[in-house]
Amino acid sequence: MAHPTASFRCFQGCAGTFPLTTAIYRCPTCDGLLEVAHDLDVLKKTSGDEWRALFDERWAATSNVKGAPTSGVWSKREWVAPEVPDDAVVTTGEGMTPLYPARRLAAELGFGELLVKQCGTTHTGSFKDLGMTVLVSVVNHAMRSGALSVRAIACASTGDTSAALAAYGAAAGLPVVVLLPRGMVSVAQLVQPLAHGAKVLALETDFDGCMAVVSELAKRGLVYLANSMNPLRIEGQKTVALEIAQQLGWDVPEWVVIPSGNMGNAAALFAGFTMAKELGLTTKLPRLCIAQAAKANPMYRAFIAGAEEVTPIVAEQTQASAIRIGNPVSAPRAMRALRGMNGVVEEATESELADACARADRTGLYADPHTGVAIACARKLRERGVIGATERVVVVSTASALKFTELKLAYHESKLPDVPTPLANAPVDLPPDVDIVAKNLA
Ligand SMILES: *Cc1c(COP(=O)(O)O)cnc(C)c1O
Ligand SMILES: [Zn+2]
């Protein structure tokens, strides 16, 4: 088979392509977003049946990259970043996360079937690993082959992007700079890049302010940009869609619900499900629900207004700190995903998302606040009948709740301002006396 290839091209369709090893983040003609274009004619020489068999075989294998653990991303490398050689791949064995059937939660909330794609059970505790393994591997390859010279890889982050970039950068031995909004990320998320030796710059602004600074640094050629404006991230993240289909026996659910901030992940789901259909592995696309926190809801506002473009807002404080974004970089990509997947946008208040987390946790999940936003939005769509009683719904869980311990504790100690906590379960202090303890067992 001819070797598959991929390159950058303008998302809006301007002429020209650029090698993936180029440091380019916007179309030189229209200044719009870029996307990765795959040579589908080459990929189509392999039939849908053959791809399914190959991907299933690799899922079961112990390694897909010489000397590295199995990876959900690199087991689909022809579709992701086909030209990166084994020895340039930087992987921690990301992906292949469980698709957990949340039966008790489904019964409680009235879903026919509710599955949770557990993207947080991965190396740095969020789905950001999926995109970062691709981006850092491409940079590693480009630097080794002399196509690129980079002083540092940099990102603006609400916490999880910087954790992933710092880990993969450290694994590759590449310098990393992260820009965080001061005081707005959890302790766990702040510690991760510190521990990996990244240069952590805490700026007195919000995420959107950090994004503006890092974009300008990249434009000036001072750093290589690792935010999801860079479509290499989306190539890795689209494997979430491929994995969901694969885990359902190469079928798709009726709905996929994703908590969204900068909107790269929503675009990635569309890219993945579309590619699976075009290459004959599946026959349809699921419907998409973009789930936003009501405190940071520019996409929801555009959807309700029937607008084609998103008007930036100043995002307010929310428990779902990783999606506190007022000016989503991938908004045009998400608009296309909504159109292509007959999608909707829903929002969840602080009380709704906290309640969703607490209920989910009571059924054995451990939901981070972003997953709480997605569950709460799915619940609202189910209650309004937009999601039908027998439909199969996949909620994408984007991070491990272990990153949000302070928040969980605040809920259970009923210390969240303006958030009712009916499921609070605070510890009971007792003397070490058998009779007193015996009276407190239930
Ligand atoms: C980054 C992130 C999101 C938002 O993803 P986008 O692609 O920016 O929409 C959601 N949840 C968590 C936990 C994240 O880290
Ligand atoms: Zn263009």
Side-chain angles (χ1 to χ4, degrees):
M1 147 169 128
H3 200 276
T5 57
S7 52
F8 292 128
R9 73 170 173 214
C10 172
F11 174 77
Q12 304 290 352
C14 300
T17 60
F18 314 90
L20 297 189
T21 48
T22 325
I24 184 170
Y25 319 104
R26 290 197 162 273
C27 170
T29 308
C30 72
D31 202 39
L33 294 166
L34 299 173
E35 66 183 2
V36 172
H38 291 270
D39 187 342
L40 289 180
D41 289 338
V42 173
L43 295 174
K44 277 181 182 161
K45 295 207 169 103
T46 302
S47 72
D49 277 341
E50 287 166 335
W51 280 123
R52 282 194 289 254
L54 181 65
F55 289 165
D56 287 346
E57 184 189 310
R58 287 183 183 166
W59 190 295
T62 50
S63 179
N64 320 125
V65 172
K66 214 166 141 225
T70 7
S71 155
V73 173
W74 296 100
S75 64
K76 302 190 169 68
R77 58 199 298 173
E78 295 89 343
W79 292 32
V80 172
E83 286 145 303
V84 177
D86 268 20
D87 64 355
V89 170
V90 185
T91 174
T92 64
E94 52 288 314
M96 295 182 168
T97 51
L99 185 63
Y100 174 76
R103 293 202 183 89
R104 286 189 60 214
L105 189 63
E108 188 178 323
L109 301 182
F111 286 97
E113 196 177 347
L114 182 65
L115 300 135
V116 180
K117 180 60 174 162
Q118 295 277 44
C119 295
T121 61
T122 175
H123 187 63
T124 73
S126 89
F127 78 84
K128 299 293 200 298
D129 288 358
L130 302 170
M132 218 48 92
T133 183
V134 176
L135 184 138
V136 173
S137 297
V138 169
V139 171
N140 198 31
H141 170 50
M143 287 180 66
R144 287 181 187 194
S145 64
L148 192 67
S149 126
V150 167
R151 256 191 276 173
I153 313 181
C155 70
S157 177
T158 53
D160 292 328
T161 303
S162 56
L165 176 59
Y168 284 85
L174 297 171
V176 167
V177 177
V178 306
L179 273 54
L180 298 174
R182 187 180 327 172
M184 293 188 195
V185 309
S186 76
V187 175
Q189 290 168 320
L190 173 65
V191 171
Q192 285 179 292
L194 293 175
H196 292 306
K199 186 93 196 172
V200 177
L201 306 175
L203 308 190
E204 197 64 57
T205 179
D206 57 6
F207 169 81
D208 299 293
C210 293
M211 190 66 224
V213 172
V214 79
S215 301
E216 185 56 31
L217 294 175
K219 203 168 165 186
R220 293 188 191 175
L222 296 172
V223 298
Y224 181 91
L225 184 68
N227 282 97
S228 57
M229 179 195 291
N230 186 331
L232 291 173
R233 291 263 312 276
I234 291 173
E235 290 312 290
Q237 289 168 207
K238 85 184 178 197
T239 60
V240 173
L242 305 178
E243 289 193 5
I244 290 171
Q246 187 170 12
Q247 286 169 304
L248 295 175
W250 297 109
D251 196 1
V252 299
E254 267 80 30
W255 284 91
V256 177
V257 185
I258 180 111
S260 296
N262 230 359
M263 305 283 152
N265 228 4
L269 286 176
F270 180 47
F273 282 118
T274 303
M275 210 163 165
K277 180 165 173 267
E278 277 185 23
L279 290 170
L281 283 74
T282 55
T283 56
K284 49 189 190 301
L285 303 185
R287 291 189 70 185
L288 175 70
C289 169
I290 291 180
Q292 291 218 286
K295 297 275 190 189
N297 64 354
M299 196 76 194
Y300 177 76
R301 293 181 193 205
F303 180 75
I304 294 300
E308 279 295 305
E309 284 189 8
V310 172
T311 306
I313 61 166
V314 175
E316 292 171 64
Q317 190 177 343
T318 166
Q319 296 160 74
S321 50
I323 54 175
R324 180 181 181 179
I325 293 173
N327 186 12
V329 167
S330 285
R333 294 173 174 145
M335 281 293 181
R336 185 177 288 181
L338 283 175
R339 281 194 299 273
M341 298 174 80
N342 189 14
V344 300
V345 186
E346 188 49 82
E347 65 171 7
T349 65
E350 295 301 293
S351 300
E352 287 167 343
L353 78 89
D355 190 59
C357 286
R359 284 165 176 263
D361 291 359
R362 284 289 180 97
T363 66
L365 283 156
Y366 196 49
D368 73 284
H370 315 87
T371 306
V373 167
I375 294 170
C377 288
R379 180 184 182 189
K380 290 166 87 168
L381 294 178
R382 175 68 204 93
E383 282 171 359
R384 288 209 308 275
V386 178
I387 293 180
T390 59
E391 288 188 313
R392 180 149 74 177
V393 179
V394 172
V395 163
V396 179
S397 173
T398 44
S400 166
L402 291 172
K403 294 200 188 208
F404 300 93
T405 304
E406 308 100 309
L407 186 62
K408 292 267 185 214
L409 188 62
Y411 179 93
H412 289 291
E413 294 186 333
S414 299
K415 285 182 184 159
L416 287 175
D418 305 325
V419 173
T421 54
L423 294 176
N425 185 29
V428 181
D429 295 332
L430 295 177
D433 177 301
V434 175
D435 291 327
I436 296 175
V437 173
K439 278 191 199 122
N440 280 280
L441 291 179

